[in-house]
Every structure is written in structure tokens, then in C-alpha cells.
């Protein structure tokens, strides 16, 4: 363990705040000569107390408005070494960090992109084409897809609560000749509150033909917002969960209801992974 006096600690705190400060600047700040300050910094570096210095870039100002944390599972570890994968994925410009982890996936990547469409391009054409890569898994940290051009902050927050806690959700759907009947619930009261608020809010938006334009929003919903006045909806919150029945005389709306109900069930079962799979299918 490195022995530090009070001046050493002050220098370290100052460098943490701004690592670009020179020995001369720090010396004036702490009433030390420039050589004495330089020697202290050099000693701290040699002792390992200062492991390095880095620049923090503003990604948005550089044109990278989206940051996605992505889990990657390797499916052919015997044929593709971890070192080979790390070398190949690190060569992709948009991949900022590569961490080898244990759990659901083998690597956690931080990927930057100009927008979600650009991220999907990097994922499909660069990351997914690497040897041995299996299905990717989105990590919700900093995932911007839950925001929207017409969405309120509380709506995005409700989606985040549900996606981050999708394992607490359970859902059944009955496809009717003229619509659907779904029952959705959560074992977590806070998630249930977010679920009810989201469902009521979205149905209100459909009736008003006012799409929130969430970035990950399924195109299946487009017809809902175009023909919302042709949908009959009932909502009932029971001990079973929130029960939603939607019907229409429009065959195209009924088909869209069946498709979207299945999409929501997939998201309740697999969370953001289901969203990503649907995105990939739409781009094939």
C-alpha cells in the first residue's frame, strides 16, 4: 500500500478533477515548487497510485448520439479463441470498450453510433458477422430506444421500469375473431403501477391518434394511430392483472392486433432481446 501524506491526497484529488493540470499549476495551488510537485507526481505514478490519465470526449458533439451496451455470447468457443474475438471486435471503430464477463453472455461491449439506424447497421454488418458470434443481448444501461420524438419523460421511464423488470411480468392473450383479449400482470407492485399507467396512456394515445414515436416502436402500431377511431377498447384492472379487450370491424386492424399482441408477449417474456430480434427481422 502506498503511503500518502495530505499533500499527496490533495494532488490526487486535483488530478482526478482535471488531469491536464501541470506540475507548475499544482505547485502554485498547494504552495510547492514546480520541481517538488513534479517529483511527488512521478513518485505517485511509479507507486501505481496514478495508473494513467485519459481524455473524456463528448460523444454527442462528435456525432455519436447513441450509446448501447451490448452483451455477446460466443457459440463456437472451440473454434474461435477469446483473443481472436477481442482483437477483431476491438478493430471496429464504433466499439469503445470490450469486457470479458461471466453470466448470460461472454462479452459486454459499449457501442456508439450516430443514431439507432446506424447502430443496427454496425450490429448487422460488423459485429454479427464476426466468427462465433451468437445472439446479442441488449443491456438497458444508457439505451436511448425508450425515448421518442413525441414521448413524455414519464412514458419512457415507465417503459424502462417494465423492460428492466420484465422477468416479473406474466401475460396471456386470446386471439378473437374481431380482436384480442389480454391479461398482463407483474409480481412487483411498482412494475404493475408502471404497466397500468403505460397501458392506459397508450390506449388514450391510440384514441387520440397521437403516436409517441418511441424509437423502438413496432411499425405494427402505425395502423393503430391512423385508425384509432375504429377500435373499441375496454380496460379492467382485476386481481388477475390488467385485462384489455380490443375489437374492430376492420380486418387489417384485427390482423395488426394479433401481431402486436404477440410482439408484446415476446417482450414480456424476453425483454429487450425480443425487441432486438424484431428489429433484425425487419431488416432482413
Amino acid at each position: 500500500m502506498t503511503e500518502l501524506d495530505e499533500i499527496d491526497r490533495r494532488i490526487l484529488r486535483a488530478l482526478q478533477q482535471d488531469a491536464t493540470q501541470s506540475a507548475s499549476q499544482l505547485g502554485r495551488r498547494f504552495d510547492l515548487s514546480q520541481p517538488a510537485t513534479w517529483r511527488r507526481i512521478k513518485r505517485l505514478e511509479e507507486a501505481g497510485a496514478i495508473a494513467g490519465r485519459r481524455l473524456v470526449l463528448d460523444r454527442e458533439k462528435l456525432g455519436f448520439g447513441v450509446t448501447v451496451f451490448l452483451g455477446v455470447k460466443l457459440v463456437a468457443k472451440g473454434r474461435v479463441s477469446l483473443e481472436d474475438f477481442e482483437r477483431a471486435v476491438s478493430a471496429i471503430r464504433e466499439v469503445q470498450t470490450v469486457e470479458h464477463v461471466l453470466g448470460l453472455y461472454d462479452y459486454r461491449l459499449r457501442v456508439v453510433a450516430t443514431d439507432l439506424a446506424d447502430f443496427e447497421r454496425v450490429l448487422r454488418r460488423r459485429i454479427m458477422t464476426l466468427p462465433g458470434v451468437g445472439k446479442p443481448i441488449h443491456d438497458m444501461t444508457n439505451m436511448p430506444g425508450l425515448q421518442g420524438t413525441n414521448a413524455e419523460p414519464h412514458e419512457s421511464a415507465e417503459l424502462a421500469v417494465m423492460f428492466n423488470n420484465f422477468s416479473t411480468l406474466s401475460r396471456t392473450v386470446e386471439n378473437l375473431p374481431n380482436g384480442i383479449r389480454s391479461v398482463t400482470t407483474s409480481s412487483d407492485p411498482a412494475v404493475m403501477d408502471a404497466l397500468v399507467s403505460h397501458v392506459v396512456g397508450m390506449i388514450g394515445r391510440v384514441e387520440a391518434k397521437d403516436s409517441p414515436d418511441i424509437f423502438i416502436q413496432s411499425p405494427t402500431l402505425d395502423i393503430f394511430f391512423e385508425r384509432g377511431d375504429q377500435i373499441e377498447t375496454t380496460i379492467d384492472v382485476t386481481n388477475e392483472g390488467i385485462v384489455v379487450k380490443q375489437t374492430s370491424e376492420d380486418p387489417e386492424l384485427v390482423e395488426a392486433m394479433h401481431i402486436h399482441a404477440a410482439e408484446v408477449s415476446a417482450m414480456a417474456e424476453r425483454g429487450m432481446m425480443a425487441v432486438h430480434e424484431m428489429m433484425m427481422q425487419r431488416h432482413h
Side-chain angles (χ1 to χ4, degrees):
M1 181 176 175
T2 306
E3 292 291 332
L4 304 176
D5 61 23
E6 184 58 29
I7 297 296
D8 289 334
R9 293 188 180 90
R10 290 180 183 177
I11 289 173
L12 290 174
R13 283 195 292 269
L15 288 174
Q16 274 187 307
Q17 294 170 354
D18 180 3
T20 66
Q21 295 179 88
S22 66
S24 177
Q25 290 172 309
L26 291 168
R28 288 195 298 271
R29 182 171 173 178
F30 300 120
D31 197 25
L32 295 171
S33 67
Q34 189 271 345
T37 306
W38 181 86
R39 284 194 295 271
R40 281 179 177 268
I41 294 172
K42 187 69 173 175
R43 176 171 54 81
L44 291 168
E45 289 175 340
E46 291 174 348
I50 298 175
R53 307 188 196 196
R54 62 178 183 143
L55 290 173
V56 178
L57 305 179
D58 188 319
R59 289 187 292 274
E60 288 191 14
K61 290 183 179 178
L62 292 172
F64 295 104
V66 167
T67 300
V68 179
F69 285 85
L70 190 72
V72 172
K73 187 81 174 174
L74 298 184
V75 295
K77 294 180 188 174
R79 290 174 300 181
V80 180
S81 72
L82 299 182
E83 292 80 6
D84 288 343
F85 172 78
E86 290 172 10
R87 189 180 307 110
V89 77
S90 297
I92 299 173
R93 181 176 66 102
E94 292 84 357
V95 176
Q96 299 293 292
T97 62
V98 180
E99 297 175 291
H100 190 203
V101 296
L102 300 176
L104 287 176
Y105 40 82
D106 298 309
Y107 284 92
R108 186 171 184 258
L109 313 179
R110 187 177 71 187
V111 185
V112 297
T114 56
D115 52 30
L116 284 177
D118 184 45
F119 165 71
E120 290 297 326
R121 178 192 62 78
V122 173
L123 181 61
R124 292 195 319 276
R125 298 182 183 178
R126 305 293 303 280
I127 298 173
M128 294 298 292
T129 57
L130 295 177
V133 172
K135 287 185 177 180
I137 304 169
H138 281 121
D139 181 319
M140 287 305 302
T141 306
N142 288 337
M143 179 61 189
L146 301 183
Q147 301 170 19
T149 57
N150 190 37
E152 298 294 332
H154 76 270
E155 293 176 307
S156 298
E158 289 166 357
L159 285 170
V161 168
M162 290 185 289
F163 273 111
N164 283 323
N165 299 279
F166 73 89
S167 61
T168 71
L169 297 172
S170 58
R171 176 176 164 86
T172 60
V173 175
E174 179 185 1
N175 283 341
L176 307 173
N178 62 342
I180 59 102
R181 180 183 184 274
S182 65
V183 183
T184 313
T185 189
S186 172
S187 57
D188 186 319
V191 179
M192 189 64 194
D193 288 344
L195 171 65
V196 171
S197 178
H198 170 73
V199 170
V200 171
M202 282 297 287
I203 288 174
R205 279 185 173 274
V206 167
E207 292 174 349
K209 299 183 179 180
D210 181 27
S211 172
D213 293 329
I214 301 292
F215 295 138
I216 64 167
Q217 186 169 301
S218 168
T220 310
L221 286 174
D222 292 350
I223 191 173
F224 286 65
F225 294 110
E226 292 169 3
R227 309 180 194 176
D229 56 341
Q230 299 179 44
I231 300 173
E232 293 291 330
T233 302
T234 61
I235 305 173
D236 192 12
V237 180
T238 70
N239 289 334
E240 289 183 278
I242 183 165
V243 182
V244 178
K245 183 178 180 181
Q246 290 184 300
T247 58
S248 176
E249 298 302 316
D250 183 332
E252 291 181 337
L253 272 171
V254 173
E255 182 183 10
M257 288 178 191
H258 293 169
I259 294 171
H260 183 60
E263 291 174 339
V264 174
S265 294
M267 288 185 281
E269 182 181 351
R270 301 194 303 283
M272 190 56 70
M273 183 189 293
V275 175
H276 172 73
E277 290 170 355
M278 286 183 274
M279 284 182 170
M280 295 291 285
Q281 289 169 4
R282 290 197 295 271
H283 285 91
H284 281 316

